[in-house]
Amino acid sequence: MKITEKIIIDNYLRPLTFKNKESLNLLDDVYFDKKKKIVFSTDTFIEGKHFLYASKPEKFVKKIFRATISDILCKGAKPTVYFLSLGINKTNKKWLQKLKKELYKESKKFGIFLGGGDTVNSKNTTITISVIGKVKKSPILRSGAKVNDDIYITGNLGDSYLGLLLNLKKKNFNNLNNYFNKQYCTPNLPLKFSQKLDIFASSSMDISDGLIVDLQNLCRSSSCGANIFFDKIPLSNNARKVSFNNKIKKSDIFLSGDDYQLLFTSQTKNRDLIKRISKTTKTKITCVGKIIHKKIINLHKGDKIIDLNGVKNGYIHTF
């Protein structure tokens, strides 16, 4: 049996929290200091695994920076400061200047500053970014979903996956190459909308490993299940077009992850409120399903339920 991230967390890391409530039982992507209203998250990115072009900071810095920020935003928190640890081998002033330039632009965009970090010599380029954010009251965790809650997704899914296929030179989308490359390298985070989550969301997380895998994690934390409707899953017009022209399965597109959109739940009474906030923040919002009592994920397509057994539902961390 392969050792997965879940096995490592459940059997080896969770006991190390000593049941400290601020660790949230390691069932979420953040640490929460209730007294100080501080949320903390950290992510590590490795050359060749999480980004392709270590020699070109302009190709990966936005992606990994926003991926880390996303863990804070999906909790309804405002990011304030980040810490950067660099493991680099051969480098030069030109590379460092590009890295600085990209980090400077991202820091200004999200109103966040560098608080510290570390630098070491490493065979492969490895970057760890940790972010501290603040909340007004409490973060919106994965564990708050309730039976009959609506399930929502911001933005579109799958554009980043198509951009990855392009960068791996597995596909060529011709006049749409620039569009998908941008979606892959520069995730469009729902920043303004995320700051309103505390008004209506019962649970929330970002979609990083794929819709089904991440929804399973949310439902596991909330002790529930979900009905999801295939035809409701939001894809961009460009993704639909290349799916048809290039014979790419729609399920492969939205199951693959790296989208960094919000996956959240809310009571049905909040539908009109969510629509209004969607409009004022200019954020695309789609209701894709409903939380159910039975602990299972059902993907409905018309009158049928798609069998998810044996299907790669997203990225599974194995070791």
Side-chain angles (χ1 to χ4, degrees):
M1 183 178 70
K2 290 184 178 180
I3 295 178
T4 64
E5 181 183 42
K6 183 179 183 301
I7 289 174
I8 292 175
I9 292 173
D10 290 349
N11 298 314
Y12 302 98
L13 300 183
R14 185 166 290 123
L16 301 177
T17 68
F18 301 105
K19 298 183 179 180
N20 188 299
K21 292 183 179 180
E22 293 175 337
S23 298
L24 304 175
N25 206 28
L26 301 188
L27 289 173
D28 219 296
D29 280 340
V30 297
Y31 164 92
F32 175 50
D33 186 320
K34 188 174 182 179
K35 291 182 179 180
K36 297 180 180 179
K37 307 298 183 186
I38 287 176
V39 179
F40 175 87
S41 182
T42 187
D43 280 298
T44 296
F45 306 90
I46 302 172
E47 174 188 2
K49 191 174 183 69
H50 300 98
F51 57 92
L52 303 176
Y53 307 103
S55 62
K56 299 180 179 180
E58 66 273 19
K59 287 281 189 178
F60 68 83
V61 168
K62 287 184 177 67
K63 185 177 186 66
I64 66 174
F65 194 91
R66 297 184 188 193
T68 310
I69 293 290
S70 181
D71 284 334
I72 297 296
L73 294 181
C74 71
K75 301 297 137 190
K78 179 178 176 57
T80 57
V81 57
Y82 73 99
F83 298 83
L84 177 70
S85 292
L86 293 173
I88 48 181
N89 191 353
K90 294 180 180 180
T91 188
N92 54 62
K93 291 182 178 180
K94 186 177 180 180
W95 187 90
L96 290 169
Q97 186 62 34
K98 287 183 178 179
L99 179 73
K100 172 190 171 184
K101 180 181 179 181
E102 294 300 321
L103 286 172
Y104 183 87
K105 289 191 294 186
E106 289 300 287
S107 299
K108 294 288 286 185
K109 180 178 179 63
F110 292 101
I112 187 172
F113 66 92
L114 179 64
D118 192 19
T119 54
V120 297
N121 188 285
S122 174
K123 183 178 180 181
N124 294 318
T125 301
T126 303
I127 301 175
T128 297
I129 302 175
S130 304
V131 182
I132 292 176
K134 292 185 177 181
V135 290
K136 297 175 183 177
K137 295 181 179 179
S138 298
I140 313 301
L141 304 177
R142 299 179 183 181
S143 56
K146 299 292 189 295
V147 175
N148 291 326
D149 276 1
D150 291 324
I151 302 171
Y152 292 89
I153 295 172
T154 62
N156 296 309
L157 303 186
D159 285 345
S160 178
Y161 168 69
L162 295 171
L164 174 61
L165 294 181
L166 177 66
N167 277 270
L168 291 173
K169 302 188 186 307
K170 291 184 177 182
K171 292 289 181 180
N172 181 3
F173 303 121
N174 300 311
N175 63 320
L176 292 176
N177 283 350
N178 287 337
Y179 170 81
F180 289 117
N181 183 63
K182 183 178 180 181
Q183 299 304 307
Y184 173 71
C185 295
T186 314
N188 185 22
L189 303 184
L191 178 61
K192 292 182 179 180
F193 186 84
S194 70
Q195 303 304 298
K196 306 290 185 180
L197 281 173
D198 63 314
I199 302 175
F200 52 79
S202 54
S203 69
S204 179
M205 65 182 296
D206 66 352
I207 300 177
S208 56
D209 293 332
L211 172 59
I212 300 301
V213 167
D214 289 323
L215 182 58
Q216 287 172 337
N217 289 332
L218 186 148
C219 287
R220 187 181 299 115
S221 296
S222 293
S223 298
C224 62
N227 284 329
I228 297 293
F229 299 96
F230 186 94
D231 293 334
K232 295 288 187 180
I233 295 171
L235 300 181
S236 67
N237 290 333
N238 288 336
R240 294 181 188 278
K241 186 184 299 183
V242 302
S243 172
F244 178 79
N245 293 337
N246 292 268
K247 298 180 180 179
I248 302 174
K249 290 183 179 179
K250 289 183 180 179
S251 56
D252 288 342
I253 294 176
F254 68 73
L255 292 177
S256 297
D258 253 9
D259 297 297
Y260 304 108
Q261 291 299 321
L262 299 179
L263 170 66
F264 68 94
T265 60
S266 182
Q267 295 180 32
T268 56
K269 68 178 183 180
N270 293 324
R271 287 176 179 175
D272 289 340
L273 172 63
I274 291 171
K275 286 180 181 178
R276 289 199 299 273
I277 295 177
S278 167
K279 186 175 182 179
T280 57
T281 60
K282 298 180 181 179
T283 306
K284 180 180 179 180
I285 306 293
T286 308
C287 183
V288 298
K290 213 163 189 62
I291 293 295
I292 61 175
H293 182 268
K294 190 175 182 180
K295 297 176 183 179
I296 188 173
I297 307 295
N298 294 317
L299 180 57
H300 296 261
K301 187 175 184 180
D303 296 330
K304 298 180 180 179
I305 296 179
I306 298 176
D307 186 3
L308 295 173
N309 292 320
V311 177
K312 186 178 180 181
N313 296 323
Y315 184 77
I316 305 293
H317 301 262
T318 57
F319 302 85

